[in-house]
Each structure stands twice: as C-alpha cells, then as structure tokens.
Amino acid sequence: MTATTMTASAVTSLEPLEQALLRRATDAADAIRADAAREAAAAVEAAQREAAATVAQARAEGEADAARRQAEDRGGAHRAARGIVLAAQRAVYDELRAQARAVVRELLAEPDTHRRLVALVQAQLGTQADAQPHPSGGIVGEAPDGRRVDASVDALVERVVGELDLDPLWAPR
C-alpha cells in the first residue's frame, strides 16, 4: 500500500470516531448552554425578586418618611395657627384694655366721679389717708400706717378686666 492509500483509509476509519467526538462535544455544549440558560433564568428571577423587595422596602420607608414629615408639617401648621390665634387674642385683649382705660379716664375727668373715687379710697384707708393723683390718671391713696390703695386708671382697668370671663370671646362660633 502506498502512503496515499493508507492515509485515505486511516482518515476513513477515523471518521466514525470524529463524528462520535463531534456529537459528544455538541451534546456537551448543548448541556452547558441549557445549564447556562437555566442559571441565567434563575439569576434573573432572583434579581427580580431582590429588586421587588428593594422597591417594596423603599416604598415602605418612603411612606413612613412621608407620614412622619406630614405629621411634622401638621404639627408645625398647628403651632403656627395657634400662634396666630394667640396673637389675635392678645391684640383683642390689649385693645379691650386700651379702650377701658380711655373710658375710665373720661369718667374720672368728671369732677363728681373723681370726688366719689377719692371718697371710696378714704373709706378704705380712713379719713386721714392722703389721696394723690397718679400719672396714668386716677389716684393712689396712702394711710398714715403705710397701707395703700392703688386706684389709678391702670390698676382699676387691670382689676376689672382681670375679673372678666373672656372665654366666650375666644370660643369658636
């Protein structure tokens, strides 16, 4: 036999082995591809579950944060509103006192009313009491024993306004 013939017959005899090896390699590659596809699908599924869990956690944290901020905002708004109400009440109270002082000054400008106030102070302290005019209007009486009665406009108004029940003014309507 010649070298060419031997080579051709050797090649022919290796063909079934080659084909068997090729089939085995193809089968192995197919199995590797199938395993890789399963692993990839499992990885994608796990990533999707993890992403969904992360989104759910972020949503829950966001909702909790929003609820906390909303409560803080409501609290701040409530405090601001309360401050506005208190400032308005204070303005009304101050205006009430200012108007009352003006009325009391007008009344005490009448000589008869002024004489009656002096008489009331002396009735409390005795006839020896000294009644002096006060800078805000009205009088301040002082007895020889040191007792004093402040019947100044400011003191009279503060006493009367302090005794008033002002709650109905602030009640919601």
Side-chain angles (χ1 to χ4, degrees), residues 138-155:
I139 60 169
V140 175
E142 188 169 344
D145 63 3
R147 291 178 297 131
R148 290 176 46 101
V149 171
D150 185 354
S152 66
V153 169
D154 290 338

Side-chain angles (χ1 to χ4, degrees), residues 87-109:
Q89 288 175 345
R90 184 62 194 202
V92 168
Y93 182 74
D94 289 345
E95 181 61 25
L96 171 68
R97 289 175 36 224
Q99 287 180 14
R101 281 193 296 273
V103 168
V104 171
R105 278 191 194 96
E106 282 181 33
L107 290 171
L108 292 178

Side-chain angles (χ1 to χ4, degrees), residues 15 18 24 30 35 38 52-53 62 65 79 83 111 119 124 128 137 143 161 164:
E15 274 182 31
E18 244 179 51
R24 219 179 258 172
D30 288 344
D35 286 346
R38 278 190 299 277
D65 188 45
R79 283 187 296 280
Q124 285 185 347
Q128 301 298 317
V161 171
L164 293 176

Side-chain angles (χ1 to χ4, degrees), residues 71-81:
E72 288 172 359
D73 290 348
R74 270 194 307 263
H78 179 72
R79 283 187 296 280

Side-chain angles (χ1 to χ4, degrees), residues 4-74:
T4 311
T5 316
M6 236 185 165
T7 310
S9 74
V11 169
T12 307
S13 64
L14 291 177
E15 274 182 31
L17 180 59
E18 244 179 51
Q19 296 221 348
L21 287 174
L22 185 58
R23 268 193 311 274
R24 219 179 258 172
T26 301
D27 290 345
D30 288 344
I32 290 170
R33 273 195 299 276
D35 286 346
R38 278 190 299 277
E39 287 176 15
V44 166
E45 196 175 307
Q48 286 173 335
R49 279 193 308 272
E50 187 176 333
T54 301
V55 166
Q57 181 179 356
R59 180 177 290 121
E61 289 173 3
E63 287 171 356
D65 188 45
R68 180 185 53 76
R69 286 180 187 216
Q70 188 177 29
E72 288 172 359
D73 290 348
R74 270 194 307 263

